Amino acid sequence: MNKITYIDGKRFKKAIMCGASHVISRQEYLNEINVFPVSDSDTGTNVSLTLKSVLKSIQNKTPDTVKPLMGTVADAALDDARGNSGVIFAQFFQGFYEGIQSSSRIYTDQFVQAFENGVESAYQAVANPIPGTILSVIKDLGVHLRGLVNDGMNDFAMLSEKALEEAKVLLANTPKQLKVLKKHNVVDAGAQAFVDFIHGIHENIRTGFVPKLDDILEQIGHHKEVHQHHEMETGDFRYCTECMITGSSIDHEDLRCRLIEQGDSLVIAGSKHRKRVHIHVNEPQKVFHICKDFGDVSGTKADDMFKQARTAEQTKAKVAIVTDSASDIDPDLVEKLNIHLIPIRVQIGNESYLDKLTIYADDFYEQLKSNPKVLTTSQPNIKDFNTRFEYLRTHYDSILSIHVPQRMSNTIVSAQNARPEGMHHNNFRTLESLSLSAGQGLIVEYAATLAQEGLGLDDIIAKTEAIREKTMVYAAFQDLSYAVRGGRVPKSLKTVTDLLHVRPVLSFSPRLEGKVKPAGILWGTTNFAKKFAKFIKKRLPKQQKFKLSISHSNIPDDAYKVHDMLIQDQPNCVSVCINEAGVGLGIHAGPGALAIGIQVID
């Protein structure tokens, strides 16, 4: 290798791209060795998503100087940092950026100084640093690099070679420092990602090769080096919770003290104006509420690590079934069938919530009645879907995402646009349910049952499209004000129904291609549950077997009354469940509504 005495902006960009490329190419391997702090098998996904954002931020830049480029890297990593290791990477980049003294060229001594600053910054971000993880590896590597430079090493080619050699030694030592790694005979996944980053940089210096961004993204999930199955190590906390805080002068220590009592694995990265928070907790909304005291909160997410651990353990299903919280499904079935639910977002004033995760029925309907003008909902965004899809692709051959029709919501468009690079029509599909609420729940449950039986993507789609034609939904509202406000029904209909003292029943069926159609009326304003049950009973199949799903918006007593009436003298009803309606129905139906899905299965 030729001697390299300095790095400028162009060389630095190539090094970053190659380091990130190598980590991304190892995504699946990193997921498979992930057992600490929990065995949720997502370290590779999280670090890859963090570094993909970095790559996209610098791909079109032609930098002459190092520091501005590193500033772009640090900002991009912070914006999209995911998971414990992703946030640590982001904070290392931030510290490295702040430690660069010269903006044009840097020499080995300046590089090591910036590296040391990155290490210090990463350590400050982590509330409880643990030996045997990425932190101890980068710390000891920094000490080794300082020794090399102090001994006169001024060649980046030689420095990168020695750095990689030492990094591999330090990585191999992590199982001796952390019992859970030794138990599973693996190294720390976050530390492995950092060593892979160093490896990619060294290969660039050694060969000069820089892959194209599209080629990098195509590599994701292609490296299947090990297939280890680990005993679940889920810990005491269920949700990997993250958000971004933007403020004028965020007090890092005060924020840390407020959050550390909520859970573990706390990492706070960023600057005094922007902080990325990562923590494992059981009540994500408490975290978001605390963070709100320090500035504007955005990018909220809460991943179910217990579910991720079960996903990593499953071996039979070939197809991941994804839907959003507009599907009303029995929570026990969501767990049993391993359905992947993306929450609809709820905004109440300046505070953001995740449907069925950080806001529940009582609070939602109380807010809907008292503050209807400041309460809005929004579909899951592309990033919400992409993060989940990137994780699922490493555990399944294919992904099927099922949502309400596009004419009702653009959720399915977000899902389509979130298709991971490298996945194509043969292993990634979306499907309109042509239904909603309880009906969509039945359709998703059917698809997930087929997936659990080991069917392939094409067979699941064909059978689900067939059952979709046999699924109907009827919804009855006690107050049309919310549907009028949301533009779902005309104001004139509310005026007429109020004058006549009747309550409309609306229907949704595949024959209507997802359109809402009046199906009848309930006379009078009393005995709502009894009248709706009688209406439904007339429409139940007489000869065929069927399943029922009842969704209610904060009226569980009425839902059980309907349940009891519908199952009387119904030997063909093979199952019936009662669920709280998600905000997808609730914001338009308001409190006091019922939706009933009927699915013919014979």
Side-chain angles (χ1 to χ4, degrees), residues 307 310 314 330-339 445 448-449 452:
K307 188 177 190 69
R310 286 193 300 274
Q314 73 84 29
D330 182 343
D332 290 338
L333 284 175
V334 171
E335 296 293 324
K336 178 182 176 182
L337 299 175
N338 211 21
I339 297 166
E445 177 192 336
T449 301
Q452 289 295 305

Side-chain angles (χ1 to χ4, degrees), residues 78 87-88 90-91 125 244 252 267-271 274-277:
L78 187 67
V87 178
I88 291 173
Q91 189 61 14
M244 177 74 85
H252 181 95
V267 185
I268 305 173
S271 65
R274 293 198 312 153
K275 294 287 187 185
R276 168 71 67 181
V277 171

